[in-house]
Amino acid sequence: MNQSPNVAALIERYFTVRLMQQRNVSSNTIASYRDAFRLLFRFAQVRLRKSPSGLELADIDAPFISAFLADIESTRGASVRTHNLRLTAIRSFFRFVSFEEPACSALIQQVLAIPSKRHEKRQVHFLTRPEIEAILVAPDRTTWLGRRDHTLLLLMVQTGLRLSELINLDRDAIQLGSGAHVRCFGKGRKERCVPLTSYAQTALKVWLKEPAPHSASALFPSIRGSCLSADSVQTLLAKHVRVAREKCPSLTSKRVSPHVLRHSAAMELLQAGVDCSVIALWLGHESIETTQAYLHAHLALKEAALAKLKPYEQTKIIRFRPDDRLLTFLDSL
C-alpha cells in the first residue's frame, strides 16, 4: 500500500509556487490563507497528536476538516463568515493538490464537497454625525500619539478606506493642494484615488509636518517607526470609543470597528445625495450591488419615499369566515 503524501511538502509548494509565482496573489490573501492553515495544524496537533511536518494528506480528510470548522466556531467563537473564509482557503489548497496528487482524488473530492454555510445578511451598522464627532475629539491631541490617532480616525471616516488600505499608506500617498486626494491599493491590488475634504487636508498638512519616528515612511507609524498592525488600529479605536461614550451615550449600545467607520463614510455620502455608482467607485466596490446595502440601511430615505405615497382611502375590512370546520381551524393557525 502506497504511503499518503506528506502535507508539509504540498503546503510549501502551494504557497511558494501556486499562490506566489503562478497566481501572484496579494499579501493580504497570503496572510489570510496562512492564518487558516496555522489554525488547522494546531487543531491537528491536539486531535491527532501529530506535528505539522508529520501530517499526511490522509490525515486531513473531510471528517477532519468538518471537525476543525466546528471547533473554530465553538472554541474561538468564529462567525459563519469566518467559517466560510477558512473553508475557502482549504478548498483552494485541495484544488491545487488534485493536480499534484491525482491518486488521492477520492479524498480530495470529499473535501471539496463540504458546503459553505448560509448566513443571515444583516443590515450594515453605521454611526451618526454626533457619534463620529465624539470619537474624533476623544484622542488627546497634546501628545504625538493623540495627534496621530485623531488624523488616522479622521482619514478613515472621511475616505472610507478599508483597514488593510489604511495601514499600508505611506507619506507619499497623500496629495495636497489642488485636487487633493489619497492614493491607495484596494482589493485585487486595484489602485484608486479618494478626494479629501478641506478639513482633512488641514489635519494631514499639520500631521505631515510632525517628525516621523526613526524616519518612518508609513503615514501612521508606531512609536518605533514600524507600520501599525490591524490589531493595533482596532485597539486604539476601542480605546477612544470608550472615552467618547462618556460624552455620547448612544455609542454604548453600538459595536464600533474600523469597518463600521467605513460604513459611516458611505452613509455620509448617501445622506449628502451622492449617487450609489459614485459611492461604489469611492469605496472601491467591485459591483454597485454591494453599495445597495446602504440604501436598505438608510431608514430616512425609506421614510421620505413613504411620505410621497398617496394614503389609501378608509374602507371597511370584511373578515372571511369559512363554513367548513377544517377551514376554520386552518384559518385560526
Side-chain angles (χ1 to χ4, degrees):
M1 182 177 180
N2 294 331
Q3 187 178 6
S4 180
N6 181 264
V7 171
L10 291 170
I11 281 288
E12 184 176 351
R13 291 205 301 274
Y14 169 67
F15 275 94
T16 58
V17 178
R18 179 61 173 169
L19 296 183
M20 296 181 180
Q21 295 181 15
Q22 296 178 353
R23 294 191 60 196
N24 193 28
V25 301
S26 69
S27 58
N28 290 331
T29 301
I30 294 290
S32 176
Y33 284 18
R34 175 203 62 201
D35 292 344
F37 283 101
R38 276 180 175 173
L39 292 173
L40 180 68
F41 294 152
R42 288 171 183 167
F43 177 72
Q45 197 161 23
V46 173
R47 187 181 182 91
L48 304 177
R49 306 294 181 184
K50 282 189 174 184
S51 64
S53 59
L55 281 177
E56 297 178 356
L57 192 63
D59 294 324
I60 52 175
D61 54 9
F64 175 83
I65 298 298
S66 297
F68 162 69
L69 295 172
D71 180 75
I72 62 174
E73 287 188 46
S74 60
T75 62
R76 296 177 61 88
S79 65
V80 174
R81 290 181 182 273
T82 302
H83 170 285
N84 291 340
L85 184 64
R86 301 310 185 201
L87 181 56
T88 297
I90 293 168
R91 283 175 176 166
S92 175
F93 169 66
F94 273 87
R95 280 193 291 269
F96 164 76
V97 175
S98 66
F99 294 98
E100 296 285 309
E101 299 290 344
C104 302
S105 293
L107 181 149
I108 294 167
Q109 289 304 315
Q110 289 172 3
V111 173
L112 294 178
I114 298 174
S116 298
K117 274 194 173 184
R118 299 180 66 87
H119 57 87
E120 296 178 351
K121 295 182 179 179
R122 301 182 181 274
Q123 287 189 347
V124 296
H125 298 284
F126 62 96
L127 305 180
T128 62
R129 176 60 69 91
E131 291 168 342
I132 293 171
E133 292 175 346
I135 293 174
L136 291 179
V137 300
D140 179 10
R141 279 180 273 177
T142 62
T143 66
W144 182 87
L145 286 175
R147 293 191 293 274
R148 181 202 65 182
D149 293 356
H150 169 76
T151 311
L152 181 152
L153 294 172
L154 174 63
L155 185 65
M156 186 184 296
V157 80
Q158 192 258 289
T159 60
L161 293 181
R162 298 180 179 91
L163 179 54
S164 59
E165 297 167 347
L166 182 79
I167 61 179
N168 288 321
L169 291 177
D170 56 30
R171 299 171 74 89
D172 294 334
I174 302 298
Q175 177 66 48
L176 300 176
S178 179
H181 63 270
V182 55
R183 186 182 68 256
C184 69
F185 287 87
K187 283 187 176 180
R189 286 172 293 184
K190 293 181 180 178
E191 184 180 18
R192 77 178 190 279
C193 295
V194 183
L196 296 169
T197 63
S198 58
Y199 182 70
Q201 290 183 59
T202 302
L204 284 165
K205 190 178 297 183
V206 173
W207 171 246
L208 289 172
K209 292 179 181 178
E210 294 271 358
H214 304 284
S215 302
S217 61
L219 180 59
F220 300 113
S222 68
I223 198 70
R224 296 182 299 275
S226 58
C227 290
L228 289 175
S229 66
D231 289 341
S232 298
V233 176
Q234 291 172 353
T235 299
L236 71 85
L237 174 59
K239 179 182 70 174
H240 297 310
V241 168
R242 285 194 296 270
V243 175
R245 283 173 179 157
E246 297 177 3
K247 295 183 178 180
C248 187
S250 61
L251 283 169
T252 306
S253 61
K254 294 190 175 182
R255 180 179 177 273
V256 184
S257 68
H259 214 67
V260 168
L261 296 186
R262 174 173 164 84
H263 292 327
S264 302
M267 296 302 288
E268 288 275 314
L269 292 170
L270 192 61
Q271 290 168 358
V274 179
D275 188 78
C276 278
S277 59
V278 177
I279 297 176
L281 292 172
W282 187 295
L283 298 179
H285 285 163
E286 184 72 23
S287 169
I288 193 174
E289 293 180 1
T290 306
T291 316
Q292 298 294 335
Y294 299 112
L295 284 174
H296 292 291
H298 201 310
L299 185 59
L301 287 180
K302 298 176 184 178
E303 292 174 343
L306 182 63
K308 296 178 181 179
L309 295 178
K310 181 181 179 181
Y312 293 110
E313 296 181 1
Q314 292 185 357
T315 57
K316 185 178 180 181
I317 300 175
I318 301 175
R319 181 175 175 82
F320 172 69
R321 297 183 180 278
D323 296 330
D324 189 280
R325 285 186 298 175
L326 178 57
L327 290 178
T328 303
F329 165 72
L330 293 175
D331 187 53
S332 66
L333 294 179

